[in-house]
Structure formats: C-alpha cells, structure tokens
Amino acid sequence: MKVTEHIAQAKDTRISFEVLPPLKGKSIDSIYDHLDPLMEFKPAFINVTYHRSEHMFKKKADGSFEKVEIRKRPGTVGICAALMNHYNVDTVPHLICGGFSREETENALIDLAFIGIDNVLVLRGDAPKNESFFEPDPHGHSYASELLGQVVQMNNGIYLEDDLQGGVKTNFCIGVAGYPEKHFEAPNMQTDLANLKRKVDGGADYIVTQMFFDNQKYFDFVNKCREIGITVPIIPGLKPLTSKKQLNILPRIFNVDIPTDFSNEILKCKTDKEVEQVGTEWLIAQSRELKNFGVPILHYYTLGKPRVVRDAVAAIM
C-alpha cells in the first residue's frame, strides 16, 4: 500500500517510524528488538535509512597506504523484506545518490518491485564521514531530482537499456525530503523551496521533513510550500532530544534550531535520564500540537531511542 493511500484512507493522524540498519555482523533481531515496543501503535509504514560506504586507508605490508571502500551497514532491500514478512507492515526504503551508479539503482528498484514494495524515499545523501563534500558516483546521480527522475522513468516502463522495449512499469510512490529550516547547503530558503518544487513537479508524491523542535518552523514551511504551488502531503519528522551534547551536535549536523525554552530546561538537567524526561515531554507537546493541526502522519526518527518515542506516542494516542 502506498504512503499516499495510507494518508487518503486515514480518519485521523497516523504514525510512522524510521529505523537504522544494524551494523554489519549483527542480526535482524536487533531491529526487531528495537521495533517490538512500537508496533502496538500500528504504524502506517516503517522507513529504513541507507548509509553510503566510507573510504578508509589501510596500511599495506610495504608501509604504503591503500584507499579501500567499506560498507558498514547492509542495504535496505533485505531489511525491508524482513520487516514486511515479520510485521506485515509497509516499508519505505531510502534510495541515495552517493556511492551508486544508475545501473545499481535500477537493479535495486527491480528487486524492490519484485518483493512488492510500493514506496521509496529518494535522497541525495550526505558526504562520507571522513570527507567534507558530497561526491557523486562517476556513473550515478548528483542530485535527488535526478534520482527521482530515474524512478519516474521506471514507473513509465523506461529502463536504462535503449533496446529494452515493453519494459514492465513499476508503481512506486515517491517521497522526497523537505527542510523547514532549509538544507544546510542552500544559500537561502527561497532557493531551497525552488529545489523542492522542482522535485514535486518532477513526480514526487509526498514530502517528509527534516527534524525540527519548533512547530512554528513547520507551519511556516507548509505555508511557504503552498504559496508556491506545492500541494502534496507534507509529513513532519520528529526526533527526541535525549542528551545535553545534542544541544551542540544537532544544530551543527542538521542545521536545526533548539528553542530557547527547551534548551534552558535541558541545561538545568544533571543527568541524561533527566534530559530524556524533558525531551519526552517536549516531543509529546510537539506531537499533540501537530496532531491538532491535522498533519497526515507523525513520522518519528526512532534511532536508538524507541522507549522515548513509545512513551510520546502512547501519550497522544
């Protein structure tokens, strides 16, 4: 079932979750343990993130160094299939530009279509952790809009091989990312919104936002989107704040503001347990206000903190 179908059929705000693939060497049970406490809320879907491979330098026997590529987490195809089978829930795999050729992307889309996945979230992706700037694969895409275009082409039965005629049309519902406080690389909000509209005009069916901690940022973002003709659903992304160090890390990495009232309460805390409590209360207040606003879905970034998310969702259901 498509994300847009979940939204169309819902009588009230739905819930969805996002999970991170386990590190290579761990089993799928680590994800089941993470999601089990959350499945009582019957999420509309579960997003599975994707992290590109990283480059590392390994010392050779002769003393020189060799640059090698290491993928620390498995891909999304197998994980999405496992979650669908285990929970009977729709899944949304992330597709990224970095580290993938167009051919690899096409093969992944074919696999996803074969196992009955109806949704994808297309993203450019970030630069590797040890590199300053995003570099696309030489045979891949540079922008999410280009990746989106490839998915749309396959939905129209057009594959990369020019001589392939009569290709089966895929049927993906395509999501894209939106940034209520603008993408950190965009020079200004107007440029960022123009890029987002380009993706929607190119075939995106819905938008999921970057995390935010001030709901007014989301409300303003939705209004700006509507003013320029973006009419697709805009799903707010929410993340619990659970440690003091996140006050510095989250603004730096994700270009998000922490409201003064919130940060002041966090700074009063003496332990991370106290921070979790404050963060949970803030997440509950955010969720309630957004639900009252009539958002289609509340999308929770659960990464590492399913209990906090569970407490918040339980309070608003």
Side-chain angles (χ1 to χ4, degrees):
M1 193 166 166
K2 296 182 177 182
V3 169
T4 49
E5 291 173 335
H6 280 290
I7 293 172
Q9 296 180 19
K11 296 179 181 179
D12 196 2
T13 299
R14 298 291 306 274
I15 302 297
S16 63
F17 302 119
E18 186 159 311
V19 297
L20 180 70
L23 289 168
K24 187 184 294 184
K26 291 188 176 183
S27 76
I28 191 70
D29 289 336
S30 62
I31 292 187
Y32 296 156
D33 292 342
H34 185 93
L35 283 172
D36 281 348
L38 300 171
M39 295 309 294
E40 66 177 282
F41 303 115
K42 296 180 172 55
F45 54 86
I46 296 172
N47 275 33
V48 181
T49 69
Y50 203 105
H51 286 238
R52 68 180 295 172
S53 56
E54 298 177 15
H55 292 122
M56 299 181 65
F57 288 91
K58 286 194 172 182
K59 193 172 184 178
K60 298 167 66 175
D62 62 1
S64 63
F65 287 86
E66 177 185 15
K67 187 177 183 180
V68 296
E69 187 174 273
I70 297 176
R71 187 158 288 168
K72 293 187 175 182
R73 298 180 187 272
T76 56
V77 176
I79 294 172
C80 285
L83 294 179
M84 290 171 62
N85 179 65
H86 190 75
Y87 293 117
N88 190 28
V89 67
D90 286 312
T91 55
V92 182
H94 290 195
L95 295 178
I96 62 173
C97 298
F100 291 90
S101 67
R102 291 175 176 84
E103 288 76 15
E104 289 171 323
T105 297
E106 180 173 274
N107 290 334
L109 289 167
I110 291 170
D111 287 344
L112 292 170
F114 281 177
I115 61 177
I117 289 179
D118 297 322
N119 305 284
V120 292
L121 184 72
V122 299
L123 307 161
R124 189 201 68 177
D126 299 322
K129 290 182 180 179
N130 53 353
E131 297 181 17
S132 301
F133 300 99
F134 173 83
E135 289 289 341
D137 184 276
H139 304 289
H141 300 293
S142 299
Y143 303 101
S145 57
E146 296 175 353
L147 177 56
L148 168 76
Q150 182 173 1
V151 182
V152 170
Q153 288 281 75
M154 288 190 64
N155 278 351
N156 290 320
I158 302 172
Y159 292 71
L160 293 175
E161 295 178 34
D162 293 334
D163 58 350
L164 197 160
Q165 300 296 320
V168 172
K169 294 181 180 180
T170 55
N171 192 31
F172 292 111
C173 176
I174 310 169
V176 294
Y179 299 86
E181 298 172 73
K182 90 171 184 62
H183 190 279
F184 74 97
E185 293 180 7
N188 51 63
M189 179 59 83
Q190 286 69 31
T191 300
D192 204 30
L193 286 168
N195 289 334
L196 180 59
K197 188 167 191 303
R198 189 175 300 111
K199 289 187 286 188
V200 173
D201 291 345
D205 297 296
Y206 68 96
I207 297 164
V208 180
T209 77
Q210 173 67 279
M211 72 182 77
F212 56 89
F213 296 94
D214 180 352
N215 284 351
Q216 191 59 49
K217 303 278 190 182
Y218 171 81
F219 300 145
D220 292 343
F221 176 71
V222 172
N223 288 334
K224 290 173 183 176
C225 286
R226 302 310 184 215
E227 287 171 0
I228 63 172
I230 294 175
T231 60
V232 299
I234 302 175
I235 299 171
L238 300 171
K239 177 180 173 62
L241 198 155
T242 56
S243 69
K244 280 188 177 182
K245 65 182 180 181
Q246 288 178 309
L247 290 177
N248 303 114
I249 292 173
L250 295 179
R252 176 168 53 84
I253 295 179
F254 297 103
N255 192 46
V256 295
D257 286 340
I258 310 294
T260 302
D261 291 348
F262 190 22
S263 63
N264 285 344
E265 290 302 311
I266 295 292
L267 291 171
K268 292 177 186 176
C269 297
K270 296 180 180 179
T271 66
D272 278 351
K273 185 174 181 180
E274 291 179 1
V275 174
E276 277 196 13
Q277 182 60 38
V278 173
T280 301
E281 292 171 359
W282 190 271
L283 185 60
I284 291 170
Q286 268 195 281
S287 301
R288 282 179 175 155
E289 186 178 30
L290 290 164
K291 187 177 180 182
N292 290 335
F293 181 74
V295 300
I297 292 175
L298 290 168
H299 184 66
Y300 292 94
Y301 299 109
T302 69
L303 319 180
K305 294 294 179 180
R307 181 178 57 79
V308 175
V309 172
R310 187 205 171 281
D311 291 346
V313 176
I316 67 166
M317 295 296 283

